[in-house]
């Protein structure tokens, strides 16, 4: 008992020391560091209009962030810049607010933020429509061999034959969605417009939203076996890591199309490449891949039945403006000591 008390006192002394070693002056007006130079103006203007002083970096590197982090009250950043412990150690103790201009936050160690009592907000929802549109585009492009068709023209291989370049219908198809979150639901809504037969989904549990969409909750196995389109829209968790592996692809139909718009190692990429090469599935469309950026000589670029886009699912003018604005609003809430609009930590 006594030992414990002693330990707590020691801890307390250590924390007080740490705090006093840091620059604890709260700035007036509050200073916000904008780490990503391409952050749309919408959010930056909003911060200024609401009384913040902003510092904008010319390069989003750890070194650049380190030069300014000690003097600011909040940080606005975007992937791929990582919020490292080095940055957090260098931050003044008034730096308690972080916003990322992204829905995903793989670039941030949220346990570390929690430990340090720093708040983090992200920007989901405003990108759902753009990302869902993109997923549908990839599904259509892969099913109708968009990339391969373009190559045929370039290579002077255009034929006019009734059996040439046949693709897969979406009409009457079964669409399997892995992860029926907000984006998954937006995809389901869009796919229903194509006169499909059925929507299947899998995830932690059956959802009321699934019922509303007329979607059927099934196991991952059933989804692989019965779907003509498999669309992945799950976040990376311990459960989903490597979920779409060789076994999964082997269960898919030879005529089926695979779409990956989710971040993280949800899909075993070598297994997908193998499935495409051996035509054990029909085609695939990916907006996310490993590594990013993908080197121009990567073997995936040599697969005619693979449609690739360079991680631009949310890249529309309006969506990016909305994301920037939302990140700015999260910062203002955080600075005011209020709950952020989309709090992560
Ligand atoms: C603390 O922050 C203020 C305000 O930005 C700055 O002027 C001052 O130099 C900093 N002091 C230290 C010790 O970093
Ligand atoms: C869809 O199903 C209906 C009813 O079975 C059928 O008449 C139609 O030909 C099918 N369309 C396609 C494109 O498969
Ligand atoms: C799906 O995207 C994630 C994230 O970039 C990547 O790690 C994974 O390998 C991708 N899967 C495929 C098959 O490209």
């Amino acid at each position: 008992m006594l030992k414990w008390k002693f330990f707590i006192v020691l801890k307390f002394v250590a924390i007080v020391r740490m705090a006093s070693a840091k620059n604890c002056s709260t700035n007036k007006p509050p200073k916000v560091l904008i780490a990503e130079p391409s952050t749309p103006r919408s959010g930056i203007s909003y911060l200024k209009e609401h009384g913040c002083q902003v510092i904008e970096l010319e390069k989003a590197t750890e070194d650049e962030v380190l030069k300014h982090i000690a003097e600011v009250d909040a940080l606005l950043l975007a992937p791929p810049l990582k919020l490292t412990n080095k940055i957090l150690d260098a931050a003044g103790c008034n730096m308690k607010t972080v916003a990322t201009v992204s829905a995903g936050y793989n670039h941030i160690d949220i346990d570390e933020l929690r430990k340090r009592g720093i708040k983090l907000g992200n920007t989901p929802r405003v990108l759902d429509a753009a990302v869902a549109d993109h997923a549908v585009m990839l599904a259509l492009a892969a099913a109708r061999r968009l990339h391969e068709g373009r190559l045929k023209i370039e290579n002077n291989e255009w034929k006019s034959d009734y059996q040439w370049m046949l693709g897969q219908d979406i009409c009457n198809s079964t669409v399997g969605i892995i992860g029926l979150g907000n984006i998954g639901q937006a995809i389901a809504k869009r796919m229903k417009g194509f006169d499909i037969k059925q929507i299947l989904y899998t995830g932690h549990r059956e959802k009321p939203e699934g019922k509303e969409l007329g979607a059927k909750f099934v196991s991952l196995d059933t989804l692989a076996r019965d779907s003509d389109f498999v669309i992945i829209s799950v976040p990376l968790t311990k459960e989903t890591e490597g979920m779409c592996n060789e076994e999964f692809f082997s269960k898919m139909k030879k005529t089926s199309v695979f779409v990956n718009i989710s971040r993280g190692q949800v899909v075993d990429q070598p297994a997908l490449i193998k499935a495409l090469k051996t035509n054990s599935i029909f085609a695939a469309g990916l907006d996310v891949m490993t590594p990013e950026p993908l080197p121009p000589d990567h073997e995936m670029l040599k697969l005619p039945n693979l449609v690739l886009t360079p991680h631009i699912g949310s890249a529309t003018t309006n969506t990016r403006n909305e994301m920037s604005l939302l990140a700015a609003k999260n910062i203002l809430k955080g600075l005011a000591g209020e709950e952020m609009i989309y709090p992560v930590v």
Side-chain angles (χ1 to χ4, degrees):
M1 192 59 191
L2 208 68
K3 244 186 189 169
W4 263 107
K5 274 188 186 156
F6 184 61
F7 178 73
I8 289 166
V9 168
L10 270 187
K11 267 263 170 220
F12 180 72
V13 169
I15 288 167
V16 168
R17 277 231 182 99
M18 244 169 71
S20 59
K22 289 200 167 188
N23 190 340
C24 251
S25 65
T26 301
N27 298 302
K28 273 189 176 127
K31 279 189 189 171
V32 183
L33 180 61
I34 313 289
E36 172 52 53
S38 69
T39 304
R41 302 313 299 173
S42 52
I44 298 170
S45 308
Y46 191 84
L47 286 173
K48 287 183 184 164
E49 282 160 20
H50 287 79
C52 294
Q53 186 188 340
V54 304
I55 302 172
E56 295 182 55
L57 294 186
E58 278 169 20
K59 260 201 264 157
T61 61
E62 185 185 54
D63 282 347
E64 289 301 307
V65 173
L66 286 173
K67 282 184 198 161
H68 300 279
I69 196 72
E71 51 166 315
V72 300
D73 304 283
L75 170 67
L76 188 144
L77 85 171
L81 179 70
K82 287 198 162 67
L83 185 50
T84 58
N85 279 351
K86 205 168 163 190
I87 292 175
L88 293 173
D89 289 343
C93 54
N94 48 319
M95 210 291 289
K96 291 290 178 212
T97 304
V98 178
T100 180
V101 190
S102 63
Y105 41 86
N106 294 12
H107 54 302
I108 298 168
D109 181 348
I110 58 170
D111 289 332
E112 193 59 42
L113 292 195
R114 208 167 271 139
K115 255 193 256 162
R116 295 173 189 248
I118 297 175
K119 282 187 230 161
L120 171 70
N122 66 340
T123 62
R125 304 305 300 267
V126 291
L127 45 68
D128 292 352
V131 173
D133 290 351
H134 202 85
V136 172
M137 177 193 75
L138 287 173
L140 283 166
R144 301 305 295 272
R145 306 165 76 164
L146 182 91
H147 176 62
E148 197 180 349
R150 161 84 192 224
L151 291 174
K152 296 285 184 202
I153 302 173
E154 279 181 28
N155 299 329
N156 199 20
E157 291 171 349
W158 188 322
K159 287 188 206 160
S160 309
D161 142 357
Y162 271 78
Q163 300 297 325
W164 187 61
M165 284 290 291
L166 299 183
Q168 303 297 337
D169 281 295
I170 295 199
C171 178
N172 294 343
S173 70
T174 295
V175 175
I177 299 176
I178 301 184
L180 198 67
N182 294 311
I183 293 177
Q185 290 165 36
I187 294 169
K189 265 186 217 155
R190 283 157 175 73
M191 292 303 265
K192 282 177 80 170
F194 290 98
D195 300 327
I196 57 171
K197 185 168 116 198
Q198 193 179 28
I199 294 178
L200 307 177
Y201 73 101
T202 191
H204 301 294
R205 57 187 167 83
E206 199 166 354
K207 292 188 153 188
E209 295 91 340
K211 208 159 259 154
E212 276 163 36
L213 286 160
K216 191 174 162 197
F217 184 70
V218 294
S219 68
L220 186 64
D221 257 26
T222 304
L223 186 136
R225 253 190 296 109
D226 294 352
S227 299
D228 300 297
F229 290 85
V230 171
I231 304 180
I232 318 286
S233 62
V234 283
L236 174 69
T237 63
K238 285 209 177 70
E239 265 183 323
T240 60
E241 190 169 348
M243 181 156 126
C244 302
N245 52 17
E246 193 158 349
E247 194 194 339
F248 178 86
F249 290 119
S250 73
K251 284 179 194 143
M252 281 175 67
K253 301 181 192 179
K254 275 193 158 26
T255 50
S256 60
V257 168
F258 179 86
V259 171
N260 184 11
I261 55 154
S262 73
R263 201 180 284 206
Q265 271 55 38
V266 175
V267 183
D268 177 351
Q269 192 167 279
L272 175 69
I273 295 172
K274 192 171 160 203
L276 288 169
K277 273 189 175 162
T278 56
N279 295 313
S280 91
I281 67 170
F282 186 76
L286 307 177
D287 186 45
V288 286
M289 58 211 78
T290 311
E292 289 183 13
L294 194 71
D297 60 352
H298 196 277
E299 66 170 327
M300 286 212 292
L301 290 161
K302 298 185 176 70
L303 300 172
N305 52 352
L306 177 59
V307 178
L308 293 171
T309 54
H311 207 152
I312 50 172
S314 68
T316 68
T317 308
N318 279 341
T319 298
R320 287 286 160 88
N321 285 343
E322 287 299 316
M323 288 167 71
S324 174
L325 193 58
L326 186 47
K329 288 180 179 172
N330 278 337
I331 293 257
L332 287 174
K333 290 274 187 194
L335 286 172
E338 292 165 17
E339 165 125 305
M340 291 183 177
I341 299 171
Y342 289 109
V344 175
V345 180

